[in-house]
Amino acid sequence: MWIIRVLSAVVFLTSIILTIPLAFDVGGRACGLAYSLALASFYFCYSVLRLTTPDRSRYRWVLIRLVSPIQSIILLSLLIWSLNRFSVEGDDGGHWVERIFDGKRAEYTSIRQWILGPNGLLETLTVGSWDKLLRWSTPVFQLSEGFCTLLVIQAAGQVTRWLVNRSGRSDSWMIGLLVMSASIISSSVYFLWRITQFPEISNVDAILIGMAITCVVFLGAWGISSGKGNPVESSLLFAYIVLCIYQIFTDYQPSYPVEPAPSAQAGDFPPFPPIIMASYSTLMQALAMLPSATHATFNFIVAALSTITPSVLISLAYRLFVLYASTRIIPAVRESGARALSQEPSLEDSDGAGQVLGALSWFSPSILIAVYTSLLMQHFASTSGNGDAGDWWVSQGGDVGGNLWRWINVAGTMALYALELNLGKEDLDDGLTGHWKAD
């Protein structure tokens, strides 16, 4: 049964990751927002129906049996509807408020068409409200990422402290953890060196980078020397600060353009032995004989993959990891210890935090769609001021992006860790590892 759940989750994530940027790329900004809103609304209603119907209800059984297998078809139908309804030309763009109050009501033949028709009042208000909600949620998502990352770092520090102090092979664990911490710091220093090679870094950016690195090094040294932290916490905090800085100044592309490889001359040897080249030619001929629908599907997947930016995928994967890990760590620290790491949060928990996390887990598909769309909008806004690549985003009503909240997240994460070091106690035995048994 768990295999079916894993496959269903993989199909869902793949569909969301491929189709939302495709809607933005093909249909424009309004189409992408409309498709994201339709997906979020669908999964919100689906979660509400699953949450409100009893477990033994026939309606719940019919709902799960009918909707679950056809989710991919529903997603594709919503994508086609969004492309058909909201796809606009580049010169028709504009801010959604302007489309309502700029005096274009005279173009409509009736009040009903002005309210419910294409680009009408209802359409622009719903898409515009979703746009505003995602913009205002960007600081929340960014700061939540930093807070959850700090929870994961502190949980890792408590686990490693328990392994060194309580386990029977403390020396081996200490050496292994020191090597791991040194590897993390070395990798972070390499990416920090790559940041210095980017040509778009100004003097102000260099000052901010220097201040951030100095503060995180000081915090790491303070935690290790005071006994309230350890090398694992310091290395992970240093790596996260470098990751945030790397996300600010790069799109995970090479620092310098890669020169194309020279073409092979006529007299050169083939790159592979003849038997491999013959097998490759046979395979390509077999693929060429496939039906045209297969080629169309393959071209669609390639086109969808070409619209995905690596930075967005890495940010989404990391943000989902820390958010999911925090839903397991918070109950473990509050009440149940390490046993809670293997338990899902539920609405039936006794404490309020567990109930809130349980409610969020029910609506996780809608939250995932909102987080992913917010990351895409943040990426488009960040690239809109760097030339022609992002001019289409500004021409359709998007704002030129900034990295203010990312810098605020960096400062807030370090300030919160400093407060924890100041108020914390040395050699904490409670919390996550307090419920573990040591022989």
Side-chain angles (χ1 to χ4, degrees):
M1 189 65 180
W2 63 272
I3 298 179
I4 299 178
R5 295 180 58 185
V6 170
L7 292 177
S8 177
V10 170
V11 171
F12 166 73
L13 284 175
T14 305
S15 302
I16 296 299
I17 289 174
L18 291 179
T19 55
I20 293 182
L22 186 64
F24 276 104
D25 185 70
V26 176
R29 179 172 172 270
C31 178
L33 289 173
Y35 176 62
S36 173
L37 176 60
L39 286 180
S41 302
F42 166 71
Y43 281 105
F44 180 82
C45 296
Y46 181 64
S47 301
V48 168
L49 290 176
R50 290 185 58 192
L51 185 61
T52 54
T53 53
D55 294 337
R56 298 182 178 179
S57 174
R58 294 182 179 178
Y59 297 102
R60 179 186 180 91
W61 184 86
V62 172
L63 175 69
I64 296 177
R65 293 293 182 180
L66 291 181
V67 177
S68 297
I70 61 173
Q71 291 187 41
S72 301
I73 300 177
I74 295 176
L75 264 62
L76 184 60
S77 302
L78 292 176
L79 176 62
I80 296 174
W81 171 79
S82 301
L83 292 173
N84 183 45
R85 180 68 182 271
F86 294 91
S87 183
V88 295
E89 298 295 336
D91 55 351
D92 292 336
H95 201 275
W96 64 277
V97 177
E98 298 176 358
R99 293 203 301 265
I100 300 176
F101 301 103
D102 62 353
K104 291 185 178 180
R105 179 179 171 179
E107 300 178 359
Y108 300 98
T109 58
S110 63
I111 299 295
R112 178 183 178 85
Q113 186 180 3
W114 178 64
I115 296 177
L116 302 178
N119 295 328
L121 179 63
L122 180 62
E123 178 180 311
T124 51
L125 281 179
T126 52
V127 177
S129 301
W130 180 243
D131 180 22
K132 289 292 184 182
L133 179 62
L134 292 177
R135 290 185 186 180
W136 295 338
S137 300
T138 299
V140 178
F141 294 148
Q142 195 72 51
L143 298 178
S144 299
E145 176 190 311
F147 176 75
C148 294
T149 299
L150 198 56
L151 285 179
V152 174
I153 291 174
Q154 290 182 331
Q158 290 191 20
V159 171
T160 54
R161 188 183 294 112
W162 183 88
L163 291 174
V164 172
N165 296 336
R166 299 296 183 85
S167 62
R169 305 174 60 182
S170 58
D171 294 338
S172 301
W173 279 113
M174 182 179 296
I175 295 174
L177 292 174
L178 287 176
V179 172
M180 184 187 70
S181 302
S183 302
I184 294 174
I185 293 176
S186 301
S187 303
S188 303
V189 170
Y190 166 73
F191 286 101
L192 186 61
W193 171 80
R194 285 202 60 190
I195 294 173
T196 61
Q197 306 300 314
F198 297 147
E200 64 271 10
I201 295 181
S202 62
N203 294 331
V204 177
D205 297 331
I207 294 174
L208 292 176
I209 292 174
M211 292 174 59
I213 298 301
T214 303
C215 291
V216 72
V217 170
F218 173 76
L219 288 176
W222 178 22
I224 295 174
S225 61
S226 63
K228 300 176 182 179
N230 54 38
V232 174
E233 288 186 8
S234 301
S235 62
L236 291 177
L237 181 63
F238 182 79
Y240 177 66
I241 297 302
V242 173
L243 174 64
C244 292
I245 298 174
Y246 201 80
Q247 289 176 339
I248 292 174
F249 294 104
T250 184
D251 199 20
Y252 299 104
Q253 301 294 334
S255 302
Y256 302 97
V258 179
E259 297 181 359
S263 59
Q265 301 295 329
D268 293 344
F269 292 101
F272 294 103
I275 185 174
I276 298 180
M277 296 301 297
S279 302
Y280 174 75
S281 301
T282 304
L283 178 62
M284 296 304 297
Q285 292 178 3
L287 292 177
M289 297 175 62
L290 293 176
S292 58
T294 305
H295 292 280
T297 303
F298 178 75
N299 294 331
F300 172 78
I301 295 176
V302 171
L305 289 175
S306 64
T307 61
I308 302 175
T309 306
S311 63
V312 178
L313 286 183
I314 295 175
S315 300
L316 176 66
Y318 178 78
R319 188 167 292 183
L320 291 180
F321 167 73
V322 294
L323 290 176
Y324 178 77
S326 63
T327 60
R328 298 299 186 92
I329 294 172
I330 292 176
V333 173
R334 288 177 56 88
E335 181 177 0
S336 302
R339 290 186 298 271
L341 294 176
S342 60
Q343 300 175 358
E344 292 283 350
S346 175
L347 293 175
E348 299 177 356
D349 292 342
S350 57
D351 59 334
Q355 294 178 357
V356 172
L357 295 175
L360 292 178
S361 65
W362 276 97
F363 297 98
S364 57
S366 299
I367 298 175
L368 168 64
I369 294 170
V371 170
Y372 186 42
T373 309
S374 176
L375 286 174
L376 287 173
M377 294 176 63
Q378 193 174 6
H379 163 71
F380 293 143
S382 298
T383 58
S384 60
N386 298 331
D388 297 335
D391 290 343
W392 70 275
W393 182 257
V394 179
S395 65
Q396 295 182 8
D399 296 333
V400 176
N403 295 308
L404 175 63
W405 285 106
R406 286 180 172 174
W407 283 115
I408 292 177
N409 177 42
V410 170
T413 302
M414 293 190 294
L416 193 59
Y417 185 72
L419 181 63
E420 179 67 23
L421 291 179
N422 188 30
L423 300 179
K425 299 179 181 179
E426 185 178 355
D427 293 332
L428 289 172
D429 291 332
D430 52 356
L432 180 63
T433 59
H435 299 264
W436 288 10
K437 180 179 179 181
D439 295 328

